[in-house]
Amino acid sequence: MPTAKFAPSRPIYPVAGIRDIEARALPGAVPPLMERAGAAAAALALRLLFDRPGAVLVACGPGNNGGDGFVLARHLRQAGLSVQVAFAGDPARLPADAAAARLAWLEQGGSTTPDLPPPPPGGWALVADALFGIGLQRPLEGLYATWIEALNAQTCPRLALDIPSGLDADTGQHVGPCFEASHTITFIALKPGLLTLDGPDLCGEILVDSIDLEPEEHHPAPGREITPVLFAERLRPRRSNSHKGSYGDAALIGGAPGMVGAAVLAGRAAAYLGAGRVLIGLLDPAALPVDILRPELMFRSAPDLLAETGIGAFAVGPGLGQSDTAMALVGTAIGKPQPLVLDADALNLVAREPVLQNALAARKSPTLLTPHPAEAARLLACTTRDIQADRVVAACRLATRFKAWVVLKGCGSIVAGPDGQWWINTSGNPAMATAGMGDVLTGLITALLARGWSAQDALLAGVHLHGLAGDHICAAHGIDSGLLADELAPSARHCFNAWIHPTT
């Protein structure tokens, strides 16, 4: 199937991988990598300044990121702009390339000031952060913290070179002051910290400039961005000669007293994504055994549904509760030969019981885990803060520990496979931070598994589609909040079918 209509899946590298690429490409590079980076930043700055007259401020740091800033300033001055450069470092301690960039700036007639200059009467047309980039491993303090505060107060475009200073390029965490960019130009390839945790809030619009390198020729990418191109071969129209049995039975177990809605949300999502049949096994014996709004859904008791044969995929967890009965159901599900999704309380029960943990790791059939950070912390016997300190590492640890496919949910959800591969999802928005969204995700993934998709494809597609459906609703209605979980499944159906039958 042709995949040209889908955006490519871009590689993602931690800092160590970027440094390795730089070390391999740097010798003999013409023009030098720093010159390429500064010129790329200048090209973006000129686009941002197209209809904004006035002076530009470039804040340069004491390392190579500062060198990029000197090149940026030189190119902007050559374009006829008024540019001021703030530099408080020791010129004698600059790395060789950065020292050469500073000298070229001075030889062109530029100057530096050791203090951040006040804005001109009309304000800055643009401010650029070239302070620390991806190399910073400690919180900003003192002079540079003051500079960051002043730069963030500017209402003009705020451009970060490579990554906003103060943001950890590997984790997306900031533990002190951080530049708040309206635009970030990152060099060579994406870094995890741009896409997860605090990164999306601090980076603004992200542009990747490879600076004329092919990073994967120098170093295999350990991670990738999720786009439909990764599972495009699955996106085929249904055959005319097919029936409901062609698309599998999706079975969802949950719905303890007071939480039946969670299981229903998951079941509706599975139906909207085209499972041949959707069966819901409830723990609440008093629950109405029909969904009036979606009478296509079939209801069983949870034990009876787990005993059925011919099921394409099971999911356990939405509204499950943590009773002894729920614990027994999780154990039974782990012993089933079908693909299995564990979510919500099913994960909490596994975290409580070492026997279940060992059984889960010993499964031969595909296992998919969908924890949020607190559930991940319970599974790894650590704190939520530990999980969020390095989300990629945490997701990979879970995948290795349980030999499972894992999505660590949150801003920039991380998908990790048992073989060490990982991906970061960029769809989704804060309006989705509301009850029931995880249940819908479970239903979407389970439907794809029931339809015969591999665990990797089902998880990548389900996670990306889930976020895309939320984005579609928010864009269509112009909302930032008030998105309800039950609205998501019809939108997911629309987006999924648009993948198969694009209008352009």
Side-chain angles (χ1 to χ4, degrees):
M1 174 179 177
T3 59
K5 66 178 181 291
F6 297 126
S9 171
R10 297 179 292 182
I12 308 173
Y13 292 88
V15 172
I18 294 294
R19 295 300 190 217
D20 183 66
I21 294 168
E22 289 175 335
R24 294 170 185 268
L26 192 60
V30 179
L33 299 187
M34 185 173 290
E35 185 67 29
R36 301 181 195 182
L44 174 57
L46 288 170
R47 291 200 294 273
L48 296 175
L49 290 163
F50 177 72
D51 57 353
R52 296 185 60 87
V56 173
L57 171 63
V58 182
C60 291
N64 283 327
N65 196 238
D68 296 339
F70 283 119
V71 178
L72 162 66
R74 192 181 82 242
H75 279 275
L76 294 182
R77 193 170 190 274
Q78 288 173 342
L81 299 176
S82 173
V83 184
Q84 294 196 45
V85 173
F87 173 67
D90 181 355
R93 300 182 65 180
L94 281 170
D97 286 351
R102 172 182 170 275
L103 182 60
W105 161 248
L106 297 175
E107 289 176 342
Q108 190 197 66
S111 62
T112 68
T113 173
D115 300 308
L116 205 66
W124 299 110
L126 178 143
V127 296
D129 161 30
L131 290 172
F132 292 101
I134 66 174
L136 190 67
Q137 299 296 319
R138 56 180 174 77
L140 289 171
E141 56 187 19
L143 174 70
Y144 290 119
T146 302
W147 282 20
I148 289 293
E149 182 180 0
L151 293 172
N152 286 341
Q154 307 309 307
T155 57
C156 61
R158 298 184 298 274
L159 175 62
L161 274 60
D162 218 4
I163 197 166
S165 293
L167 183 66
D168 190 303
D170 283 346
T171 68
Q173 187 176 43
H174 80 98
V175 293
C178 185
F179 184 68
E180 298 173 9
S182 63
H183 298 78
T184 296
I185 180 167
T186 198
F187 306 121
I188 300 178
L190 289 166
K191 293 85 181 173
L194 297 167
L195 305 178
T196 193
L197 200 62
D198 297 317
D201 284 323
L202 295 170
C203 294
E205 183 180 334
I206 298 171
L207 173 70
V208 180
D209 194 293
S210 68
I211 57 174
D212 295 325
L213 296 178
E214 294 293 339
E216 293 183 274
E217 292 181 359
H218 297 279
H219 188 109
R224 304 199 77 85
E225 178 185 32
I226 300 178
T227 77
V229 76
L230 295 173
F231 43 85
E233 286 300 318
R234 297 278 186 179
L235 301 173
R236 297 179 178 274
R238 293 189 176 199
R239 292 184 177 274
S240 298
N241 185 20
S242 62
H243 51 83
K244 64 177 181 283
S246 306
Y247 305 104
D249 291 349
L252 300 117
I253 309 295
M259 297 184 287
V260 171
V264 171
L265 282 170
R268 289 181 179 178
Y272 271 104
L273 208 57
R277 295 195 308 164
V278 178
L279 302 97
I280 301 177
L282 297 177
L283 277 74
D284 186 354
L288 187 69
V290 64
D291 178 0
I292 299 299
L293 295 181
R294 288 272 64 91
E296 303 90 349
L297 304 180
M298 292 172 279
F299 289 81
R300 308 280 193 274
S301 73
D304 286 348
L305 182 51
L306 277 171
E308 287 199 19
T309 59
I311 299 296
F314 282 97
V316 183
L320 185 70
Q322 299 187 49
S323 64
D324 291 343
T325 299
M327 180 80 80
L329 291 170
V330 172
T332 300
I334 290 173
K336 302 291 288 185
Q338 289 93 341
L340 174 66
V341 182
L342 294 183
D343 180 36
D345 277 330
L347 299 171
N348 294 325
L349 291 167
V350 169
R352 280 172 39 191
E353 181 50 65
V355 172
L356 291 182
Q357 295 171 30
N358 294 334
L360 193 62
R363 272 177 54 87
K364 302 302 181 185
S365 299
T367 304
L368 297 86
L369 311 180
T370 63
H372 58 54
E375 292 161 348
R378 296 178 194 120
L379 288 167
L380 291 175
C382 62
T383 67
T384 302
R385 178 176 293 182
D386 293 332
I387 297 296
Q388 297 292 71
D390 197 325
R391 288 168 51 77
V392 171
V393 166
C396 290
R397 283 182 61 200
L398 282 168
T400 300
R401 167 69 180 86
F402 295 106
K403 298 180 175 59
W405 293 88
V406 174
V407 54
L408 177 58
K409 296 183 287 194
C411 182
S413 292
I414 312 295
V415 173
D419 57 358
Q421 297 181 89
W422 52 269
W423 300 260
I424 301 182
N425 185 54
T426 56
S427 66
N429 62 78
M432 299 175 70
T434 186
M437 287 293 175
D439 304 314
V440 174
L441 175 61
T442 293
L444 298 177
I445 295 167
T446 308
L448 295 174
L449 290 170
R451 293 178 59 168
W453 286 40
S454 69
Q456 174 178 318
D457 289 347
L459 193 55
L460 292 174
V463 168
H464 191 66
L465 179 64
H466 183 255
L468 190 65
D471 291 341
H472 181 265
I473 295 172
C474 290
H477 297 283
I479 60 174
D480 180 67
S481 59
L483 176 60
L484 302 179
D486 197 40
E487 297 177 281
L488 209 67
S491 179
R493 176 180 64 183
H494 168 84
C495 295
F496 184 77
N497 283 285
W499 285 344
I500 297 171
H501 300 287
T503 55
T504 57

